[in-house]
Amino acid sequence: MMYAGCVLQLLFVRHQFKIAFFSELKQDTQNALKNYRTAYNLVHELRAHETNMLEIKTMAGFINYKICRLCFQHNTPLDAIAQFRKHIDLCKKKIGSAELAFEHAAWMSKQFQAFGDLFDEAIKLGLTAIQTQNPGFYYQQAAYYAQERKQLASMLCNHDSSVVYPNPDPLETQTGVLDFYGQRPWRQGTLSFDLSDPEKEKMGILSLQLKERNVLHSELIITLLSNAVAQFKKYKCPRMKSHLMVQMGEEYYFAKDYAKALKLLDYVMCEYRSEGWWTLLTSILTTALKCSYLMAQIKDYITYSLELLGRASTLKDDQKSRIEKNLIKVLMNESPDPEPDCDAAAVKASQKLWSDRVSLAGSNVFTIEVQDFIPFVQCKAKFLAPSFHVDVPVQFDIYLRADCPHPIRFSKLCISFNNQDYNQYCVVEEAYQKSDILEQSSQGTMCLVPGKTRKFTFKFVAKTEDVGKKIEITSVDLILGSESGRCVILNWRGGGGDAASSQEALQAARSFKRRPKLPDNEVHWDSLAIQASTMIISRVPNISVQLRHEPPALTNEMYCLVVTIESHEETVAKDVKLTAGLKPGQDANLTQKTQVTLRGTDTCDDSFPALLPDIPVGDLQPGEKLEKPIYIRCGTVGARMFLVYVSYLINTTVEGKEILCKCHRDETVTIETVFPFDVAIKFVSTKLEHLDRVFADIPFLLMTDILSASPWPLTIVTSQLQLSASMTSVDQLESYVENVVLQTGESASECFCLRCPPVTNSGGVATGCYIISWKRSSPVESVPVVRTVITLPHVIVESIPLHVKADLPSFGRVRESLPVRYHLQNKTNLVQDVEVSMEPSDAFMFSGLKQIRLRILPGTQQEVLYNFYPLMAGYQQLPSLHINLLRFPNFTNQLLRRFIPTHIFVKPQGRQADENSIAAA
Amino acid sequence: METGLFSGSVHIGIIYHPPQNYPLYIRSVPTENELKFHYTVHTSLDVVDEKISAMGKAMVDQRELYLGLLYPTEDYKVYGYVTNSKVKFVMVVDSSNTALRDNEIRSMFRKLHNSYTDIMCNPFYNPGDRIHSRAFDNMVNSMMMQVC
């Protein structure tokens, strides 16, 4: 019964599988999937025993593969993953025969690998994977089981070499093939769980174990890992990728492919270093050191030793001590002791390599750039100041510190600069210790004691041609070992520091921790900051430059700036040169509107420069004083910066060396330029009323008003009115302000009577210009007079048809006749009909024509005569004249008012005496 | 700590904020295979980085600090937690440890965060230094005792 049931169950699986396979052929994938799933469930219902475990797993694996593939094909990747998880959970513990446990690990590895392949294939067909769910994880797990397989194999298959492969081969079958997948060849067709022939069984297991020994496990593992690396690279997992590469490197190491191992480890090392995971870095370095030892790669061996001894290494002190001793051996051209846990055969081979290296002459100098890792010697270079004057020696310190467990000697310390001429001055060597070292001449100079900071001070005299340049430490070289043995040059680019030092400096800068007090000559390593460059600046000048002037400057004047140079030098200042003028780098317009000259007697024009460079002044004896006036003309108002720069050469000695220094002193001064005065121009009528336009042929007044804005007294030498052709003057044009001195805020006015002939165009008429010649009342030297030209405003000229002029006395007297004559002048070419009427006023009686109509011929004039008789005293309104032009309705009385007086002063009719007194007044 | 008594292992890592990303504190119980878990904590930063960048800047104030399960592997689960200053907490526990549900993990992270805040409040602690604190060690110990 049991057997029958068992067989039946086997057939169920087979039946379902066949239906599924047939459906697949029919491309009915849905049914195929359904049947495969049933088959899968049936497989696990089978009674499992050690004897049929492999067969069950093999079948489950096949069906699982089919299901997952179909799920991916149906674009239901989550179903595929769920099925695979179920498959793994069900089968994980089905190890089967303990003696063949590696077989189970191999099978597990295969399951993961196959699923990874299916997943990857689905992605190639368009499925999108994510960072946390991608084929990489399955390859990684496959690799993990492959590693387990290797371990199990090494445990279970370590038979003595005397054990021979059984004969006849139990793995051979009569047909050469198996009846069913997953069956044992020596147990074909047996359904019984009982072991019929234990001896045969034993032979079978032995043959499988011996076969397993020939499997290249590492190769399998590395292939799977590299598959995983490719996937994780795709899904943004750089750290996972690095981790897998470390595992690959380690696997290569186990596979004795040290070159490949080193290549991989070296590649990922920097990632762990830059993120500061020291435990991981140390573990990688330890493997790398083993590889380099086994290959006898001296340079790599030294490099890894340097870092494993450094502060980033988490090795215990005994390990560090061992590594340091080995390093010292290598430096002495001896073979180092083998690294622990290395394969004995490989150690033997490497010892041979090392002894070959020892006997090999030449190529025993190794330069190692230590900047990019964390070596056990730390270095910081520091110039004592950010700049040095050329006449003092440049000083800097090199600080060294060792983190290794034992003191270490070095043979040489040398520093390179961007100007290589200085290199020779900055060397410490064992051979001659005196040289240029200032301190530390005691015996321990060439030895670095762990945890102690060692300082070396250097000084040299900078070259005069380096003035204004930067001196930079380009590299620091520390030489370990000797030329006779092996020589290792630790090379720091710039002023020292390594991969971890910038982060340490940041932490130290943030820290509030109080540092314990140290003896005077010692310093805290953390508090040292690298200063790898310094400026060479010119010697401090020992002359004084003083400027004397009277600000502000006035527009266009020759402004005098007196430069006084006084030498306080001990020796002759040679070749003194003066540069003076507008400081470069200001607004470009200023350059055009500023002129500088040494001769103040003549006005300079625009062709003069804004800056006078290198005016030779000659030599200055000690204590000698020299004055030099500079004249500046500023064409526009505003502030300007002026530069006065004095340079000279002088001999001086530094540290017993004579050098010729170029010194200079510069002074800048900001000078404000202001207008000397404001000029206001006004047009007024003869009645002194403001005019916004003038009438042709009618005289008017031009008034000028010069208001001094200068803080210094101004002398108006003269003024001049230059009229344009369209203007004529009524009387002589002569200056009324000649030699007038104006204090601040005072003003000087002039008045000119002008007339403008009629013009044809309706626009403005140019009036001309007003020229003021002026100077400061108290110039420093005799300076030329400045002519300031003011263009007068244009004026609108209008012609009028009729001009009325009144002829009347300047005052009237009560009850005394006041004759008034009005001249009516026709200014047109037409005959004018004029209506004249006189409006009476309360203050006057009058005789004359009250209303009249007359006719005036072109260009002629008519007179109308009135006799006014004042009735009241005071400022009285005159009877007003009204004129009406029949041809020109625009001619209004308003306009008329401009020409004729409207009021007159009437004196009272006093007594004789009063009259006299008024006349006197 | 005797591993035999407890059903699993717990590994805790606190990682300094970018760009440094170095571990401030890392602790494993039991201590065997420690290196492997250092690697696990380190590799989990890939997922943390990705989750942080996916969250974007807009949500920065009201976002959930607990990142949940970062990724499952065959043998263990990795959980993540990120403070507002981008200090990352990572916890690795055995997959078989079913007693630890999301809520327990979340409250463990909160506890860790509180203790970390206490350390930061210490005026003598310099942010960015590796954590050496007895109080913190004790807290972590007692927390691990509870879950293992």
Side-chain angles (χ1 to χ4, degrees):
Chain A
M1 234 355 243
M2 197 189 96
Y3 280 149
C6 193
V7 171
L8 209 58
Q9 274 184 329
L10 290 175
L11 289 176
F12 281 156
V13 176
R14 195 165 164 176
H15 179 234
Q16 287 297 327
F17 187 87
K18 282 188 170 176
I19 296 173
F21 194 77
F22 182 61
S23 304
E24 220 183 335
L25 287 180
K26 285 199 301 181
Q27 302 197 343
D28 181 1
T29 53
Q30 294 295 348
N31 265 324
L33 183 59
K34 206 178 93 192
N35 291 309
Y36 277 133
R37 280 191 192 280
T38 321
Y40 187 83
N41 290 336
L42 288 169
V43 164
H44 284 291
E45 278 170 26
L46 289 176
R47 211 179 134 205
H49 190 262
E50 215 176 280
T51 50
N52 69 348
M53 194 72 95
L54 183 67
E55 192 177 355
I56 289 176
K57 279 194 300 191
T58 307
M59 274 327 287
F62 284 169
I63 302 168
N64 173 64
Y65 182 85
K66 282 287 187 188
I67 295 171
C68 292
R69 220 186 120 202
L70 286 173
C71 287
F72 276 123
Q73 208 175 315
H74 290 158
N75 204 14
T76 51
L78 292 177
D79 288 354
I81 291 168
Q83 162 62 31
F84 182 70
R85 282 249 56 87
K86 184 173 121 192
H87 174 58
I88 291 301
D89 288 342
L90 285 170
C91 301
K92 203 168 20 182
K93 294 275 150 60
K94 293 190 175 164
I95 296 166
S97 161
E99 287 161 301
L100 294 173
F102 55 83
E103 236 180 7
H104 177 67
W107 180 83
M108 287 295 280
S109 174
K110 194 80 202 160
Q111 298 306 303
F112 277 99
Q113 188 190 1
F115 189 76
D117 286 342
L118 277 176
F119 200 168
D120 192 36
E121 208 158 299
I123 288 164
K124 281 185 190 133
L125 291 173
L127 183 72
T128 36
I130 53 168
Q131 191 195 34
T132 50
Q133 190 57 260
N134 70 60
F137 286 102
Y138 299 95
Y139 288 127
Q140 187 196 9
Q141 201 58 37
Y144 168 72
Y145 277 111
Q147 276 163 339
E148 196 176 282
R149 174 186 179 184
K150 187 178 121 183
Q151 259 170 21
L152 290 168
S154 71
M155 248 161 31
L156 297 170
C157 317
N158 54 352
H159 300 283
D160 201 73
S161 53
S162 59
V163 177
V164 288
Y165 195 78
N167 193 14
D169 187 353
L171 302 186
E172 287 275 304
T173 55
Q174 282 164 349
T175 50
V177 287
L178 287 170
D179 294 347
F180 295 102
Y181 287 113
Q183 288 186 343
R184 298 293 182 201
W186 64 89
R187 243 194 280 128
Q188 290 254 51
T190 318
L191 284 176
S192 163
F193 291 149
D194 306 320
L195 296 173
S196 49
D197 187 349
E199 196 50 39
K200 207 175 183 186
E201 191 68 25
K202 228 170 124 188
M203 280 301 121
I205 287 170
L206 176 66
S207 59
L208 282 173
Q209 285 173 337
L210 291 176
K211 272 234 154 111
E212 181 72 10
R213 271 165 69 163
N214 299 331
V215 175
L216 295 170
H217 292 105
S218 289
E219 221 164 74
L220 293 174
I221 297 167
I222 287 165
T223 311
L224 289 168
L225 284 172
S226 78
N227 278 351
V229 165
Q231 294 292 337
F232 283 115
K233 201 165 159 185
K234 225 188 290 178
Y235 295 102
K236 288 191 209 159
C237 300
R239 294 180 186 90
M240 185 64 103
K241 193 188 112 195
S242 300
H243 178 205
L244 292 168
M245 284 170 78
V246 171
Q247 288 182 317
M248 274 170 83
E250 282 168 351
E251 205 51 56
Y252 272 121
Y253 165 74
F254 291 128
K256 301 201 175 64
D257 192 343
Y258 304 121
K260 274 192 182 143
L262 213 50
K263 205 171 160 192
L264 279 165
L265 295 175
D266 205 56
Y267 183 82
V268 291
M269 226 178 258
C270 63
E271 321 249 324
Y272 291 96
R273 192 182 292 123
S274 66
E275 287 202 322
W277 287 70
W278 303 141
T279 27
L280 305 183
L281 178 66
T282 306
S283 139
I284 298 166
L285 280 169
T286 311
T287 315
L289 185 69
K290 285 180 192 165
C291 292
S292 57
Y293 169 75
L294 294 172
M295 286 194 296
Q297 293 270 25
I298 301 177
K299 191 175 171 183
D300 288 336
Y301 185 83
I302 295 167
T303 310
Y304 300 133
S305 299
L306 285 174
E307 194 158 17
L308 278 170
L309 289 172
R311 61 198 190 284
S313 157
T314 55
L315 286 183
K316 297 271 186 310
D317 269 353
D318 57 329
Q319 287 299 309
K320 283 192 176 180
S321 170
R322 185 183 61 74
I323 290 170
E324 188 176 355
K325 278 174 189 153
N326 274 339
L327 179 64
I328 290 169
K329 276 188 182 169
V330 171
L331 290 175
M332 290 163 71
N333 206 7
E334 291 171 17
S335 300
D337 290 342
E339 289 299 306
D341 309 325
C342 282
D343 183 70
V347 168
K348 208 153 229 159
S350 84
Q351 273 166 341
K352 172 88 174 57
L353 284 173
W354 278 100
S355 58
D356 286 353
R357 293 268 194 280
V358 170
S359 56
L360 205 70
S363 72
N364 267 342
V365 178
F366 304 96
T367 303
I368 298 174
E369 295 229 359
V370 294
Q371 203 94 58
D372 302 324
F373 62 100
I374 305 163
F376 73 91
V377 185
Q378 298 183 67
C379 165
K380 285 180 183 180
K382 189 181 182 191
F383 278 103
L384 295 197
S387 62
F388 286 93
H389 292 289
V390 71
D391 59 334
V392 294
V394 175
Q395 292 193 42
F396 67 95
D397 293 333
I398 297 285
Y399 295 93
L400 292 176
R401 181 190 162 101
D403 302 312
C404 50
H406 306 295
I408 188 146
R409 292 182 71 77
F410 64 94
S411 51
K412 196 173 166 186
L413 171 67
C414 52
I415 293 97
S416 309
F417 296 89
N418 54 346
N419 184 342
Q420 297 183 352
D421 293 340
Y422 301 127
N423 294 3
Q424 52 183 314
Y425 305 117
C426 305
V427 178
V428 190
E429 225 167 338
E430 209 157 21
Y432 50 96
Q433 289 193 347
K434 49 189 177 68
S435 70
D436 285 288
I437 323 157
L438 294 182
E439 297 154 38
Q440 315 271 356
S441 54
S442 62
Q443 260 205 328
T445 312
M446 311 304 283
C447 193
L448 297 175
V449 180
K452 280 259 173 12
T453 301
R454 173 122 281 173
K455 180 168 98 172
F456 298 91
T457 303
F458 297 90
K459 70 175 177 181
F460 58 87
V461 177
K463 296 194 179 305
T464 45
E465 57 264 34
D466 276 349
V467 171
K469 288 182 192 159
K470 212 182 206 179
I471 294 188
E472 232 174 308
I473 296 178
T474 50
S475 71
V476 179
D477 289 329
L478 182 74
I479 291 119
L480 304 177
S482 60
E483 313 265 339
S484 56
R486 282 200 184 96
C487 205
V488 176
I489 304 170
L490 304 188
N491 170 268
W492 284 271
R493 285 189 306 275
D498 54 38
S501 57
S502 62
Q503 174 65 19
E504 284 166 355
L506 186 71
Q507 285 297 113
R510 274 204 212 132
S511 175
F512 291 118
K513 241 172 245 165
R514 252 193 36 204
R515 301 191 176 90
K517 246 193 145 144
L518 286 180
D520 279 345
N521 54 348
E522 283 182 47
V523 283
H524 281 286
W525 184 261
D526 286 343
S527 62
L528 289 171
I530 294 173
Q531 162 103 43
S533 65
T534 190
M535 282 291 287
I536 299 304
I537 52 178
S538 54
R539 177 178 171 273
V540 183
N542 212 354
I543 57 163
S544 65
V545 174
Q546 277 174 340
L547 306 177
R548 188 155 47 84
H549 60 129
E550 293 179 327
L554 306 176
T555 319
N556 282 331
E557 78 166 327
M558 295 301 284
Y559 185 72
C560 184
L561 181 69
V562 181
V563 180
T564 311
I565 308 165
E566 190 178 357
S567 166
H568 306 294
E569 295 284 1
E570 314 248 292
T571 53
V572 186
K574 288 179 291 187
D575 200 13
V576 183
K577 281 180 182 160
L578 172 68
T579 297
L582 194 69
K583 192 177 180 177
Q586 298 180 75
D587 190 351
N589 292 335
L590 285 181
T591 318
Q592 284 163 19
K593 291 291 179 190
T594 311
Q595 286 88 37
V596 180
T597 174
L598 290 174
R599 299 190 347 172
T601 45
D602 28 274
T603 312
C604 49
D605 56 35
D606 288 351
S607 65
F608 280 67
L611 181 72
L612 292 175
D614 293 332
I615 309 155
V617 184
D619 294 352
L620 267 184
Q621 296 300 323
E624 197 183 332
K625 197 169 175 178
L626 189 128
E627 272 198 4
K628 194 93 188 162
I630 310 277
Y631 295 90
I632 302 164
R633 182 168 164 258
C634 303
T636 50
V637 294
R640 288 169 172 76
M641 286 235 279
F642 290 93
L643 171 74
V644 176
Y645 176 98
V646 180
S647 69
Y648 62 96
L649 296 174
I650 194 151
N651 279 311
T652 182
T653 30
V654 197
E655 303 269 302
K657 264 174 91 177
E658 181 139 322
I659 54 169
L660 184 66
C661 296
K662 197 178 173 192
C663 299
H664 66 86
R665 180 180 282 285
D666 54 40
E667 290 286 334
T668 52
V669 62
T670 303
I671 298 173
E672 191 82 30
T673 304
V674 297
F675 283 121
F677 39 68
D678 291 325
V679 179
I681 309 287
K682 270 195 302 195
F683 293 102
V684 294
S685 70
T686 45
K687 283 172 74 185
L688 294 177
E689 282 170 347
H690 174 75
L691 286 180
D692 51 357
R693 56 195 59 199
V694 300
F695 298 104
D697 271 340
I698 317 289
F700 62 93
L701 297 178
L702 171 77
M703 290 189 70
T704 62
D705 197 14
I706 306 167
L707 172 68
S708 167
S710 150
W712 308 99
L714 286 181
T715 302
I716 309 288
V717 177
T718 184
S719 71
Q720 193 192 352
L721 189 67
Q722 279 186 345
L723 290 177
S724 66
S726 56
M727 286 284 167
T728 52
S729 67
V730 176
D731 47 8
Q732 276 300 316
L733 290 178
E734 57 186 45
S735 173
Y736 298 94
V737 291
E738 224 159 78
N739 292 324
V740 167
V741 175
L742 290 179
Q743 302 294 332
T744 315
E746 287 182 343
S747 67
S749 299
E750 285 190 275
C751 180
F752 304 96
C753 189
L754 306 175
R755 194 212 316 260
C756 182
V759 286
T760 45
N761 63 332
S762 59
V765 169
T767 318
C769 50
Y770 185 52
I771 300 159
I772 304 164
S773 304
W774 59 275
K775 60 177 188 179
R776 285 188 189 222
S777 300
S778 56
V780 181
E781 307 256 325
S782 62
V783 289
V785 167
V786 187
R787 267 163 56 95
T788 302
V789 178
I790 292 132
T791 308
L792 298 172
H794 282 220
V795 70
I796 296 167
V797 179
E798 236 174 45
S799 46
I800 46 164
L802 187 78
H803 182 227
V804 181
K805 207 169 80 185
D807 239 358
L808 79 168
S810 52
F811 62 89
R813 199 183 286 274
V814 176
R815 284 199 288 282
E816 269 184 28
S817 170
L818 182 74
V820 177
R821 191 189 297 269
Y822 293 101
H823 302 269
L824 279 64
Q825 207 172 349
N826 183 357
K827 293 276 186 188
T828 62
N829 300 334
L830 303 166
V831 178
Q832 298 267 21
D833 282 317
V834 185
E835 269 182 21
V836 181
S837 63
M838 185 62 84
E839 195 92 356
S841 161
D842 289 347
F844 292 89
M845 294 196 293
F846 71 91
S847 67
L849 298 162
K850 191 159 186 241
Q851 191 165 19
I852 183 178
R853 175 177 261 215
L854 26 100
R855 184 166 280 188
I856 309 171
L857 293 175
T860 64
Q861 65 170 29
Q862 286 279 341
E863 292 179 8
V864 191
L865 191 71
Y866 289 93
N867 241 334
F868 291 159
Y869 191 73
L871 299 174
M872 283 179 267
Y875 198 62
Q876 300 293 356
Q877 193 183 3
L878 286 167
S880 52
L881 183 75
H882 289 269
I883 293 173
N884 197 10
L885 295 184
L886 296 177
R887 282 176 183 274
F888 296 92
N890 285 343
F891 187 84
T892 58
N893 286 320
Q894 211 92 38
L895 199 56
L896 198 62
R897 296 274 173 275
R898 295 229 173 150
F899 309 124
I900 54 173
T902 55
H903 289 75
I904 194 165
F905 188 75
V906 178
K907 292 181 178 179
Q909 193 182 37
R911 290 177 298 272
Q912 203 61 44
D914 287 348
E915 203 177 286
N916 283 343
S917 72
I918 289 168
Chain B
M1 175 159 293
E2 285 175 61
T3 47
L5 278 177
F6 305 100
S7 67
S9 59
V10 179
H11 313 270
I12 290 174
I14 299 177
I15 294 99
Y16 199 42
H17 60 69
Q20 287 95 356
N21 279 328
Y22 58 79
L24 293 176
Y25 187 88
I26 193 151
R27 204 167 136 83
S28 292
V29 170
T31 48
E32 67 212 27
N33 245 340
E34 203 178 359
L35 194 66
K36 182 185 164 193
F37 288 101
H38 279 224
Y39 275 117
T40 307
V41 171
H42 184 242
T43 49
S44 72
L45 295 183
D46 286 338
V47 185
V48 175
D49 279 359
E50 196 64 18
K51 286 205 176 202
I52 293 174
S53 68
M55 273 189 276
K57 279 190 178 131
M59 294 283 288
V60 104
D61 286 336
Q62 63 265 40
R63 74 177 173 82
E64 170 77 85
L65 302 178
Y66 177 55
L67 298 176
L69 183 66
L70 295 180
Y71 59 86
T73 64
E74 283 301 298
D75 317 308
Y76 45 84
K77 290 176 183 160
V78 186
Y79 296 91
Y81 184 93
V82 178
T83 71
N84 282 324
S85 55
K86 304 275 186 292
V87 172
K88 292 167 277 267
F89 294 61
V90 174
M91 206 173 330
V92 185
V93 297
D94 270 14
S95 286
S96 53
N97 196 338
T98 45
L100 285 175
R101 294 213 199 106
D102 216 43
N103 260 341
E104 280 84 49
I105 298 282
R106 197 187 288 256
S107 76
M108 279 166 77
F109 272 130
R110 206 159 294 143
K111 244 191 206 166
L112 268 178
H113 192 179
N114 285 340
S115 296
Y116 176 73
T117 313
D118 289 345
I119 284 173
M120 291 298 285
C121 291
N122 179 353
F124 299 103
Y125 175 75
N126 190 15
D129 282 352
R130 262 86 168 160
I131 295 170
H132 300 288
S133 155
R134 209 182 308 145
F136 194 77
D137 282 343
N138 289 341
M139 191 282 304
V140 173
N141 274 347
S142 69
M143 199 165 79
M144 286 177 153
M145 287 279 224
Q146 277 171 19
V147 298
C148 284

